[in-house]
Amino acid sequence: MKRRSTKSKSHSRWNKKLFAVLLLSFCFGCLVLMQTRYSQIRMILSSPPPFVQRPKIAFLFIARNRLPLDSVWDSFFQVDWGEASMIQAERILLKNALMDPFNERFVFLSDSCLPLYSFSYTYDYIMSTPNSFVDSSFADTKEGRYNPKMHPVIPVHNWRKGSQWVVLTRKHAEVVVEDDLVYPVFQQHCRRKSLPEFWRDHPLPVDGSKEHNCIPDEHYVQTLLAQKGLEEEITRRTLTHTSWDLPSSKVRERRGWHPVTYKMSDATPAVIQSIKDIDNIYYETESRREWCSSKGKPARCFLFARKFTRSAGLRLLNESVLGVSNEGIAEA
């Protein structure tokens, strides 16, 4: 009887020790788990916030060879951020820019364009609207640019005219790149006529009637968007200022063919300010006046201006009238 009691007490002590060991193990495990979770929380709190990619704007320069104003544009981009036809070139530029999924706007600029404001102002202006900026007017078909052979693929009521210096949303850029209907018609029925200034290199053809100059770069994007029923998604003006000196030429046919070129002597703060002050655009062919706005409020019309020589651009940059930094820019 005594042996059974002793055995029972021994078993009870063993159970208590086992319970104590299990309890200590549980507590130790809880401490280790808490310490691990605490370390994880500290690591999360001390880590920088996840990077959120800001939508970008792709600037697409249509240039013959080099950019004479590259110094100006290099400064502009550092403010806030450390036989192919013309339209074929535009499509190639867009196709490559679309490879970056963060490019949300696509700005066409010439090799003689200048930025009038800082990058941040330009970015906010362009991104403040879901629309593309496309200068688009109902073209006067009497001027002979529309080729009747384009019908019925491109009916005359969809023929549009405007500046090639457009700003496209990603949706509209994709429409241009994926177009396999309108572009082939332009290729087939829109041939540039031989111009007098190129006689030395390309003599005039014997039968000039086979050439039909519809100026494709001034019609393609506008006509394509009209064809697709997307005109409600565009702001019908360009953001690039061009000065056309119509009375300067004595030859009537030559008037208005080329924009005014601003040389170094022309590049003054007053000229830039006069362009910045423009707040409306009048379209004679439609008797339409377009008042410019941004974010629902009256605003200046233009973010860029052309046609400036390299020396003119550097002068304006050094005089700090373009809204860009001129640090590190040397005379060239």
Side-chain angles (χ1 to χ4, degrees):
M1 190 73 180
K2 188 176 180 180
R3 184 181 298 175
R4 185 180 297 174
S5 177
T6 303
K7 190 174 182 180
S8 178
K9 289 180 180 179
S10 175
H11 185 70
S12 178
R13 285 195 297 271
W14 188 87
N15 285 340
K16 289 180 180 179
K17 288 180 180 179
L18 179 62
F19 177 77
V21 170
L22 290 175
L23 182 62
L24 286 172
S25 298
F26 177 76
C27 292
F28 179 76
C30 288
L31 286 172
V32 171
L33 180 61
M34 289 176 64
Q35 180 64 32
T36 302
R37 291 296 176 87
Y38 177 71
S39 299
Q40 290 175 343
I41 293 172
R42 282 190 62 187
M43 184 179 297
I44 293 173
L45 292 176
S46 62
S47 299
F51 176 72
V52 178
Q53 177 63 56
R54 191 182 186 189
K56 298 193 295 184
I57 299 173
F59 289 81
L60 310 176
F61 290 88
I62 300 176
R64 291 184 178 88
N65 40 56
R66 63 187 292 273
L67 287 177
L69 300 172
D70 54 355
S71 298
V72 178
W73 283 105
D74 181 65
S75 178
F76 172 72
F77 291 127
Q78 290 179 7
V79 172
D80 284 338
W81 311 88
E83 162 185 328
S85 69
M86 184 68 76
I87 55 178
Q88 184 178 356
E90 292 173 358
R91 285 159 54 92
I92 291 171
L93 286 168
L94 285 175
K95 183 177 180 179
N96 282 277
L98 281 167
M99 290 181 182
D100 187 335
F102 294 107
N103 282 336
E104 291 293 339
R105 296 294 186 276
F106 303 81
V107 182
F108 279 105
L109 299 164
S110 78
D111 54 355
S112 63
C113 281
L114 286 176
L116 298 175
Y117 300 97
S118 68
F119 185 91
S120 57
Y121 178 87
T122 302
Y123 181 93
D124 290 340
Y125 193 112
I126 292 174
M127 300 300 291
S128 66
T129 174
N131 288 0
S132 292
F133 289 90
V134 180
D135 181 38
S136 180
S137 301
F138 291 92
D140 182 2
T141 55
K142 293 179 181 179
E143 64 185 1
R145 292 190 181 184
Y146 177 76
N147 189 340
K149 294 180 181 179
M150 292 179 170
H151 186 83
V153 179
I154 303 176
V156 67
H157 65 263
N158 281 339
W159 185 246
R160 300 288 186 271
K161 177 184 177 181
S163 168
Q164 73 182 106
W165 313 115
V166 300
V167 177
L168 299 179
T169 61
R170 188 173 185 88
K171 174 184 175 179
H172 294 165
E174 290 172 344
V175 168
V176 173
V177 170
E178 295 168 3
D179 170 40
D180 58 3
L181 185 64
V182 174
Y183 176 60
V185 175
F186 270 80
Q187 279 186 309
Q188 184 179 358
H189 299 297
C190 192
R191 304 294 179 87
R192 184 174 294 277
K193 288 184 177 180
S194 301
L195 301 178
E197 58 262 44
F198 300 132
W199 281 357
R200 295 178 183 176
D201 300 326
H202 304 284
L204 285 174
V206 177
D207 186 1
S209 64
K210 293 183 179 180
E211 295 184 306
H212 189 94
N213 186 13
C214 74
I215 318 295
D217 47 296
E218 293 183 4
H219 294 271
Y220 174 65
V221 173
Q222 290 81 358
T223 300
L224 174 61
L225 295 180
Q227 283 278 102
K228 297 292 185 178
L230 298 173
E231 290 188 297
E232 294 297 320
E233 300 176 8
I234 67 173
T235 298
R236 293 172 63 190
R237 62 185 176 90
T238 180
L239 298 182
T240 300
H241 177 268
T242 304
S243 178
W244 297 93
D245 189 10
L246 300 182
S248 65
S249 177
K250 295 180 180 179
V251 182
R252 182 175 61 84
E253 291 79 7
R254 298 277 301 179
R255 293 176 186 172
W257 277 22
H258 299 290
V260 172
T261 296
Y262 294 96
K263 300 179 181 178
M264 184 175 181
S265 58
D266 308 313
T268 64
V271 167
I272 296 300
Q273 191 59 50
S274 67
I275 296 173
K276 287 183 176 182
D277 287 342
I278 298 173
D279 60 2
N280 70 91
I281 307 168
Y282 182 71
Y283 296 86
E284 278 189 50
T285 56
E286 299 179 44
S287 299
R288 171 172 66 93
R289 187 175 297 278
E290 188 81 21
W291 291 91
C292 303
S293 64
S294 177
K295 301 179 182 178
K297 299 179 181 179
R300 305 308 182 193
C301 294
F302 301 111
L303 300 179
F304 314 102
R306 59 189 296 264
K307 190 174 183 183
F308 289 82
T309 63
R310 180 178 177 83
S311 58
L314 289 175
R315 176 184 176 182
L316 293 169
L317 184 65
N318 290 330
E319 293 185 7
S320 302
V321 297
L322 296 178
V324 299
S325 171
N326 62 356
E327 291 185 11
I329 302 298
E331 290 286 350

